[in-house]
Amino acid sequence: MFENFDPNQNHYFFEKKDSIPTVFIHGVGLDHQMWDKQVNYLKEFSILTYDLLGHGKTPCNKEKLNFNDFSNQLLEILDHLEIEKINLVGFSLGSLIALDFSSHYQKKIEKLLLIGTTYKRSAKERSLVLERYNQAKLNKPISKQALKRWFSDKYLENNQKTYDLFMNILNKQPEDHKNFLKAYELFANHKDNIAEIQKIDRKTLVMTGSDDLGSTPKMSEELVKDLVNSSYIEIKGGKHLCSIECADDVNMNIKNFINN
């Protein structure tokens, strides 16, 4: 896959094959690299990964971000590549962006896949996210805490390379940290637009790790009730980044869903 920038300096990788492109949207504080296991597995598909505004190598010039900014970013990349129709995969913040994009540009979506999505947070769940955002705002280190929420201890012990990669992505330079906070603030304060979500009729697969404490199986079950054409798969033993720790399971489900 070749590294590229579109005219708006969006950093992306696109591998064109004879299929509807599958687009992957990463989570807050991460970048396109979180999808390496999916990219390597789904080699027969056209694949597009990219860095969200203010993440990886994509700049961000705005003081405050909203979901329109992120949906417009994806639209810019698709227009640049002259892509009319996509399968869209989102993770965490990326899932919320995927839902927002789908609610505005439903005709562009063939199928929708949502992994580790927050939905209908309780007051307690909301306060925990805001607490983490406030810690990050005070420059308190949150990387190790994040990895413990995202992976099992056993996985981190046995996969030093993954641990090092994610610590490297999460420990940011001051300018990158400032941009990360813009996206994190949006994520922490997000309130679901249930009426818009109920209008999405694309065939949708919702997946969550059975041990995900932040984007719980209960949230996914609630989301499936509101998405008219959706189904739910729980990834056994997975935490938030089940797409990496339980990659075989997640990849097989993505492939089956896109092919069927």
Side-chain angles (χ1 to χ4, degrees):
M1 289 183 70
F2 296 104
E3 175 181 62
N4 289 284
F5 291 87
D6 76 359
N8 297 296
Q9 290 307 294
N10 295 306
H11 179 234
Y12 71 90
F13 292 79
F14 183 47
E15 182 79 41
K16 192 173 184 181
K17 300 279 174 71
D18 188 23
S19 69
I20 290 172
T22 298
V23 180
F24 291 87
I25 313 179
H26 66 77
V28 69
L30 301 176
D31 64 23
H32 70 276
Q33 294 174 91
M34 73 154 281
W35 298 112
D36 284 354
K37 284 184 184 289
Q38 283 65 50
V39 170
N40 292 332
Y41 180 79
L42 301 165
K43 283 192 182 302
E44 72 269 36
F45 295 159
S46 297
I47 300 271
L48 171 63
T49 61
Y50 68 102
D51 292 339
L52 289 172
L53 296 168
H55 291 69
K57 292 183 183 176
T58 300
C60 177
N61 315 319
K62 297 189 74 171
E63 277 311 302
K64 227 173 166 57
L65 286 168
N66 58 45
F67 280 97
N68 273 346
D69 296 321
F70 285 117
S71 285
N72 288 339
Q73 180 196 13
L74 176 53
L75 191 63
E76 287 167 2
I77 299 170
L78 297 181
D79 286 349
H80 170 66
L81 292 168
E82 299 179 343
I83 294 170
E84 288 300 319
K85 200 129 191 145
I86 58 171
N87 296 308
L88 188 55
V89 185
F91 164 74
S92 198
L93 172 66
S95 286
L96 301 180
I97 296 166
L99 284 165
D100 184 76
F101 184 87
S102 301
S103 72
H104 291 102
Y105 306 106
Q106 192 149 204
K107 285 183 178 162
K108 286 195 171 291
I109 305 294
E110 179 71 17
K111 289 181 180 175
L112 183 59
L113 293 97
L114 306 168
I115 304 171
T117 317
T118 60
Y119 194 59
K120 294 183 179 174
R121 287 177 182 140
S122 66
K124 189 186 176 187
E125 285 163 341
R126 185 173 295 283
S127 72
L128 284 171
V129 180
L130 285 166
E131 196 180 300
R132 290 199 291 270
Y133 166 66
N134 287 323
Q135 276 188 318
K137 223 166 50 166
L138 295 168
N139 280 331
K140 292 189 176 171
I142 57 167
S143 308
K144 284 185 179 173
Q145 284 172 273
L147 290 187
K148 285 184 89 64
R149 284 197 318 277
W150 295 352
F151 296 103
S152 69
D153 292 342
K154 191 179 175 189
Y155 184 83
L156 289 176
E157 278 165 30
N158 295 332
N159 293 274
Q160 188 66 41
K161 266 189 180 169
T162 303
Y163 178 85
D164 293 343
L165 172 69
F166 278 84
M167 284 299 282
N168 189 42
I169 294 170
L170 288 167
N171 289 328
K172 301 184 184 302
Q173 299 303 316
E175 189 57 34
D176 293 333
H177 185 69
K178 208 169 90 179
N179 283 329
F180 157 68
L181 288 175
K182 295 172 196 173
Y184 203 173
E185 182 182 15
L186 181 67
F187 178 72
N189 289 293
H190 174 67
K191 289 186 170 65
D192 307 297
N193 190 333
I194 294 166
E196 286 300 309
I197 282 169
Q198 288 172 336
K199 289 179 193 168
I200 297 170
D201 66 4
R202 301 293 93 174
K203 193 171 182 190
T204 304
L205 176 63
V206 178
M207 281 191 276
T208 299
S210 60
D211 303 337
D212 191 335
L213 300 175
S215 307
T216 62
K218 185 176 177 233
M219 289 181 186
S220 286
E221 286 161 9
E222 286 298 313
L223 180 57
V224 165
K225 284 180 195 169
D226 287 337
L227 283 165
V228 295
N229 193 9
S230 65
S231 55
Y232 170 55
I233 292 175
E234 194 169 297
I235 304 298
K236 296 285 174 236
K239 291 184 88 170
H240 196 41
L241 268 169
C242 59
S243 57
I244 295 173
E245 182 163 355
C246 309
D248 291 348
D249 201 356
V250 169
N251 289 344
M252 191 179 66
N253 283 308
I254 292 174
K255 192 173 190 174
N256 289 343
F257 181 69
I258 289 173
N259 282 337
N260 293 333

